[in-house]
Amino acid sequence: MGRSPCCEKAHTNKGAWTPEEDARLIAHTRAHGEGGWRSLPRAAGLLRCGKSCRLRWINYLRPDVKRGNFSEEEDELIIKLHSSLGSKWSLIARRLPGRTDNEIKNYWNTYIKKKLLKRGLDHQFHRRLCSPHNSNTTHSSRSAPEHQIPAFQSPRTPEIADFFQYELSGCSPIEPAASKDEEHPDINLDLCISLPLHSTTAANKASSVDGTVDSKSYYDHGVCCQIGLQVNYGGC
DNA sequence: AAGAGATTCAACCGCGAGAAC
DNA sequence: GGTTCTCGCGGTTGAATCTCT
């Protein structure tokens, strides 16, 4: 048995969207609002899968989508957020107004990975590579054996304090690297989390059994878990 | 100028989670 | 409480474009 297909594949278009299809989707979404993706294609007269419509709207047609190059500040913010959240592109995108998860994911894979490697940092774990010839640390996630994955892989870390020490140094505790000032003396990357004083129950709810905190849970429960980041240039 | 290889990025796929029934 | 439906997410693909030789 299994899951029923999300749409009638035989009667759906695939591939690049035409201007006519875009216009239909925009008109329908303006008239009826976002959502109801499953029934939208038929209602809007589109021969598309509902998932395809949703993706097209969210990534390209939504009026608040920001197109164009990423700024240096956005670069640094993405790197920082990736180091704490991992490949949670949707969470990262929520902190970059106008950017979509797909766009950030593509940008990461095409540009930031290389940028980090240029700096001598592992793009996956944000730790300093031992040497440019150390193939272990440059393996992609597909080829890296489980036992080679360092302790800090997931955003959930056993010790919050250690987590932030790690974060601010930008490298593995075992293998201390130059301070951030040495690499980017003009950038002030101050990372802080502030928990709402009045939301202890929700905070408890969002804590896992072992006492670590799931940032997504905070977000989803409407609790304000703020990761504040300052990217300052010119010593401001 | 042309072909090959590399890069980019829009779109697709499969799965998990939560809601609805 | 179990099943089905819907949405959203992350990983992957492949056509288009760019760069190199």
Side-chain angles (χ1 to χ4, degrees):
Chain A
M1 286 287 281
R3 169 185 302 265
S4 61
C6 69
C7 53
E8 191 65 45
K9 293 199 187 283
H11 301 104
T12 53
N13 292 340
K14 279 189 172 185
W17 279 65
T18 65
E20 288 86 347
E21 287 177 313
D22 282 348
R24 280 179 184 272
L25 180 53
I26 290 168
H28 186 274
T29 309
R30 276 187 186 152
H32 302 95
E34 288 184 37
W37 300 111
R38 177 107 175 167
S39 56
L40 184 147
R42 181 176 294 205
L46 286 163
L47 293 174
R48 287 278 179 177
C49 171
K51 286 168 79 169
S52 181
C53 294
R54 178 185 157 272
L55 202 68
R56 182 67 182 171
W57 172 258
I58 287 176
N59 285 331
Y60 302 97
L61 301 178
R62 229 172 40 181
D64 58 328
V65 170
K66 193 200 287 183
R67 312 297 301 169
N69 295 339
F70 283 73
S71 67
E72 195 63 30
E73 286 86 351
E74 286 176 311
D75 278 12
E76 295 300 332
L77 184 53
I78 291 168
I79 292 167
K80 207 68 197 170
L81 288 169
H82 185 273
S83 76
S84 56
L85 298 171
S87 302
K88 303 288 180 191
W89 305 116
S90 60
L91 286 177
I92 294 172
R94 286 176 200 176
R95 292 180 170 82
L96 285 144
R99 301 296 187 184
T100 68
D101 54 356
N102 203 37
E103 191 180 14
I104 293 170
K105 180 172 60 183
N106 281 332
Y107 187 63
W108 178 272
N109 286 329
T110 58
Y111 178 73
I112 295 184
K113 262 186 188 178
K114 292 173 190 168
K115 185 175 178 175
L116 290 180
L117 285 171
K118 240 181 177 176
R119 290 184 189 177
L121 295 169
D122 183 298
H123 61 77
Q124 197 180 358
F125 307 118
H126 302 262
R127 55 186 294 182
R128 179 165 291 281
L129 297 167
C130 291
S131 83
H133 308 295
N134 185 342
S135 59
N136 281 350
T137 52
T138 53
H139 274 316
S140 71
S141 57
R142 233 195 269 186
S143 59
E146 289 275 319
H147 65 272
Q148 289 181 348
I149 297 175
F152 181 75
Q153 177 192 11
S154 149
R156 300 182 192 191
T157 56
E159 301 294 331
I160 298 290
D162 286 350
F163 163 73
F164 285 108
Q165 276 212 322
Y166 176 92
E167 279 302 295
L168 290 173
S169 67
C171 62
S172 152
I174 301 163
E175 199 179 339
S179 74
K180 68 183 193 313
D181 291 344
E182 282 176 48
E183 282 188 326
H184 302 286
D186 296 333
I187 301 174
N188 173 18
L189 292 170
D190 288 327
L191 189 64
C192 62
I193 281 189
S194 58
L195 297 175
L197 295 171
H198 60 281
S199 303
T200 49
T201 49
N204 287 339
K205 211 174 161 187
S207 301
S208 59
V209 180
D210 63 1
T212 59
V213 176
D214 182 342
S215 60
K216 186 174 189 297
S217 300
Y218 269 120
Y219 196 95
D220 290 343
H221 285 95
V223 180
C224 177
C225 173
Q226 295 178 328
I227 297 181
L229 176 68
Q230 292 184 338
V231 183
N232 294 332
Y233 287 86
C236 298

